[in-house]
Amino acid sequence: DVKVTQSSRYLVKRTGEKVFLECVQDMDHENMFWYRQDPGLGLRLIYFSYDVKMKEKGDIPEGYSVSREKKERFSLILESASTNQTSMYLCASSFGSTGQSPLHFGNGTRLTVT
Amino acid sequence: KQEVTQIPAALSVPEGENLVLNCSFTDSAIYNLQWFRQDPGKGLTSLLLIQSSQREQTSGRLNASLDKSSGRSTLYIAASQPGDSATYLCAVMGGGATNKLIFGTGTLLAVQP
């Protein structure tokens, strides 16, 4: 089974802090994604990557950056955390292109910014 | 812009009942449609993936259908069980935007014992 591991289940950070969310997958998947999930808004794509050192903006990239130095690891960075970034963050991975395989999700990181 | 809608937002059924969850999308130019399950406080689990050239997919008690021309998909759950209680989300991967899934807001299903 594919395993997508997010390093923290819960995080509490202060406004203005730099925050790192880490995600690791163990199935050699090319594609990795970061979503945030908010009540009433559903899942929204922040960034994705289809190869090492490659990144593409999703629908809501403002205030975020990403890093993919190794194929198995995809990091989401909040440069200066704000209260409106309080959310559930979900990492996912898949292989191939043009939707050949389903997305596999981690269990999520619930981030609270105070 | 692709929009995905799931109706109803919540559904409660007695155990053993067969049920259908609905998903509609506005742009029929899709690569695939995926159904997921999400338990409270957890990530999403992939249930079924239907490629744009397919009409349906089955896994155990689950059957998903796709009608691209009308922009609709259904997830049929046979003989529902309390363990099926969860939020069910559908998502479409749109043509021209490879690897980007657009999600609906989900249907919260409660199966009463």
Side-chain angles (χ1 to χ4, degrees), chain A residues 8 10-15 17 19 109-114:
Chain A
S8 304
Y10 300 95
L11 274 179
V12 180
K13 297 291 182 181
R14 293 195 178 274
T15 302
E17 278 193 76
V19 181
T109 296
R110 186 164 294 282
L111 173 67
T112 302
V113 182
T114 61

Side-chain angles (χ1 to χ4, degrees), chain A residues 9 31 33 35 37 40-43 45 48 59 88 90 96 98-103 105-107, chain B residues 31-32 34 36 38 40-46 49 51 89 93 98-105:
Chain A
R9 289 283 282 137
N31 310 308
F33 308 81
Y35 287 87
Q37 185 176 28
L41 296 176
L43 277 86
L45 182 63
F48 67 101
D59 299 315
M88 171 72 110
L90 292 163
T98 61
Q100 294 171 325
S101 82
L103 259 62
F105 280 83
N107 273 329
Chain B
Y31 285 115
N32 66 45
Q34 301 182 36
F36 295 89
Q38 186 175 31
K42 296 287 183 65
L44 281 68
T45 300
S46 177
L49 182 154
Q51 300 289 358
L89 297 105
M93 185 172 291
T98 59
N99 287 312
K100 287 181 65 173
L101 277 178
I102 306 297
F103 282 83
T105 52

Side-chain angles (χ1 to χ4, degrees), chain A residues 51-97:
Chain A
D51 202 351
V52 176
K53 296 192 185 295
M54 305 299 288
K55 61 184 179 183
E56 294 277 349
K57 292 180 179 180
D59 299 315
I60 51 164
E62 297 79 17
Y64 303 94
S65 62
V66 290
S67 172
R68 192 159 181 209
E69 297 297 317
K70 294 184 178 181
K71 192 174 186 179
E72 67 270 20
R73 185 180 296 270
F74 193 35
S75 303
L76 179 69
I77 303 154
L78 286 66
E79 297 290 344
S80 177
S82 63
T83 54
N84 63 13
Q85 293 178 310
T86 291
S87 186
M88 171 72 110
Y89 289 87
L90 292 163
C91 175
S93 71
S94 69
F95 75 83
S97 62

Side-chain angles (χ1 to χ4, degrees), chain B residues 2 25-32 52 68-69 71 92-98 100:
Chain B
Q2 179 75 269
F25 48 95
T26 54
D27 185 349
S28 62
I30 63 170
Y31 285 115
N32 66 45
S52 61
K68 262 192 5 175
S69 60
V92 298
M93 185 172 291
T98 59
K100 287 181 65 173

